[in-house]
Amino acid sequence: MKDLVNRYGLLLTTVFAVLTGFWVLVLVVLPNIYLFEHSFRPYLPVAELRGPKDVYSLDNYLTFFRSPIHISVFVWTVVYSALVTVICFLIAYPLAYYLSKVSARALLPTIFLLLFIPLWVSEVLRSFAWFIILALKGPLNASLLGLGIIEDPVRWISGFRGVIIGLVYTYVLFMLFPLYNAIQSLDTNQIEAAEDLGAPWWRTHWRVILPHAKPGIASGSVMVFMLSAGSILVPTLLASTNSRWFTEIIQQWMFESQDWNTGSAYAFLLLILCTVFVSVVMRVFRVKLSDIAK
Amino acid sequence: MSAGVDLDNVCADFGTFRAVDHVAVNIRPGEFFSFLGPSGCGKTTILRMISGFIPPSRGVIRIGGRDMKGQRPNQRPTALIFQNLALFPLMPVWENIAFGLEVRGVDRHKRRARAEELLQLVDLPDAADKAIAQLSGGQKQRVAIARALAVEPQVMLLDEPLSALDLKLRQHMRAELRAIQKRTGVTFIYITHDQGEALAMSDRVGVMSQGKLQQVADPREIYNNPANGFVASFVGENNIFTGDIQGAEGDLARFATASGTFTARLGPAVTQGMKARLFLRPEHVRLAPAAASANSIPVEVTDVAFEGNFISIHARDAGGQVLLAEARNDGATAVPAPGERLHFTFDGQNAVILTGDTAARDADE
Ligand SMILES: Nc1ncnc2c1ncn2[C@@H]1O[C@H](COP(=O)(O)OP(=O)(O)OP(=O)(O)O)[C@@H](O)[C@H]1O
Ligand SMILES: [Mg+2]
């Protein structure tokens, strides 16, 4: 804090501190506390608010556990978010390795720029673009048909396929950058030492590069998984008739049923259960929280 | 088992820059061979070519008589010890050592046993389960050596492996490395910019400058009969006089300098008319009260430094050139005092006239 005062002067420091405080408190903490409080209260007509029925209970949370459909939607959301995470890893790892250890230094700024450009377009537009690309009579099918790779057009947006493609596309960079940083920090001599001792490329990756990149893999995976599970836009826009995402149920509670109480309870359940899931997976892969924070 | 390494006019180019220039040398099986040269002269590049990380832009590398062209590092019978060791920090010591065996499909039990054997060999018996971060510099060194030995290489390549250690440990590890080399009989190719290290450890030394091999010979030959001015000035201390060759006097040549005319041996292929210098080791200098009949310069002692086993004496002649002499610290030799006026004399057989540039001495030496 003293540092900041020295560098920016008292006035500017105070302004920064107040703005940051406002942002954290008013825009993040308070709304969450508000929702959290509401999630324990029943959904009542306005007249009965603060009335005798307005007591705290776990009813809203139990609604979820009493609904097999909601539970199954939740399970599928977790399963497909995990799948998205795995696919993102499979795409990002070779790319991160290539960028950090193989490609010429001089090319990096250009490659990163190209990777970033799609991020400048809004997520809505990007999802719509995929909606068009994946459409039954869209360009993807047209080119595959034209190249003779498929004989009949593929219904891409069926089941969770569209959602998965959209989520992978949207979040793959959140996997790429932590992986790039992690692999970048590995001493190239270690890779060479492994090869010099006779290791084929895959063993070098398995025994030397992957273990070193583990914290990066973990933080990338946590980000992609949490963002995917909590995504609402992509699952809505690229949904098919039989792909329901858990966030859509939260949205239904809040905006269709106008029941913000149950909606908030569901939102917190999503957060809690996903956190539990992530902790279990981290335990299985022996990743510590301190690794990720590095 | 060990194999010889033949470098047949090997070159390495980085863009238009030639880092290694027509290096030709046959390193014998079981030999301890050192490449000695200043920083940036291309030593590491040579080692990386032998181990297969960079292809030579010209020339042929043969190991055990076999052309290595197109062979990846993991296919060559070499093991490289990196300048920074490059141990795997996430594996315990024994897995580091056994990594090469793991790659070759040796089962876990045998790997562990072999790792412990090698730890005995490098004198680190209880370190098998330690983490790399728990080891001292010298211990890491030994683990790196054990890891390289585990794959039973025919040629060990060592890139300044002792440079990170302190002086005492460095001297200890020199002897250790030499002993391990003798015990295993593996060909060692050792890289260093430390002349003491190269002279003390090697069967033969190749002195390099700017990508070119200047001289290949055994350590005595390198020190006593340097092939040119670079080798003479890079290895050991010298008094250097610039001047002209003026004809023969017996088996010596007359050499005229600003400090007087002296007699000295002619170096290999040095003839009259060449731009040459006279090199004289400080240990061949006598400081006497009376002038000698030849090779004698009147000087004033400026500085006397006690170095332990010898005393280093700086003196200045009438023209202001700084001259170096050494006196043994044996109690019998008279040690002059600063300000004393003496005669700096030497035997022409111990001075040599050589051509070629002199080495810029590293500031740290
Ligand atoms: N990848 C590279 N690209 C361009 N130039 C290089 C490359 N590697 C080495 N060089 C150059 O080649 C020359 C020799 O390098 P090298 O690493 O072989 O020196 P060295 O003798 O091992 O030096 P040191 O004692 O400092 O390790 C240096 O001038 C260096 O700048
Ligand atoms: Mg080097």
Side-chain angles (χ1 to χ4, degrees), chain A residues 33-88:
Chain A
I33 291 179
Y34 176 83
L35 286 179
F36 191 65
E37 199 254 349
H38 271 60
S39 71
F40 294 102
R41 286 163 52 181
Y43 174 51
L44 297 168
V46 181
E48 290 185 42
L49 282 177
R50 315 262 166 229
K53 282 193 191 161
D54 199 353
V55 288
Y56 290 125
S57 76
L58 285 173
D59 279 356
N60 296 333
Y61 289 84
L62 291 176
T63 313
F64 169 74
F65 293 101
R66 289 193 198 106
S67 161
I69 293 177
H70 290 175
I71 291 177
S72 110
V73 169
F74 176 81
V75 169
W76 285 118
T77 301
V78 167
V79 168
Y80 284 114
S81 298
L83 182 65
V84 166
T85 309
V86 171
I87 296 173
C88 281

Side-chain angles (χ1 to χ4, degrees), chain A residues 73-144:
Chain A
V73 169
F74 176 81
V75 169
W76 285 118
T77 301
V78 167
V79 168
Y80 284 114
S81 298
L83 182 65
V84 166
T85 309
V86 171
I87 296 173
C88 281
F89 171 75
L90 293 178
I91 295 172
Y93 180 80
L95 188 58
Y97 175 73
Y98 178 84
L99 289 177
S100 51
K101 292 295 169 199
V102 185
S103 74
R105 282 270 125 169
L107 282 177
L108 283 184
T110 320
I111 297 177
F112 277 115
L113 191 70
L114 289 175
L115 286 171
F116 267 120
I117 287 175
L119 282 187
W120 299 346
V121 180
S122 99
E123 199 178 327
V124 182
L125 275 182
R126 278 183 284 152
S127 302
F128 266 120
W130 274 106
F131 188 76
I132 295 166
I133 293 169
L134 298 175
L136 194 63
K137 296 213 165 109
L140 183 62
N141 274 334
S143 21
L144 289 178

Side-chain angles (χ1 to χ4, degrees), chain B residues 44 83 159-160:
Chain B
T44 298
Q83 208 156 354
D159 192 352
E160 311 208 23

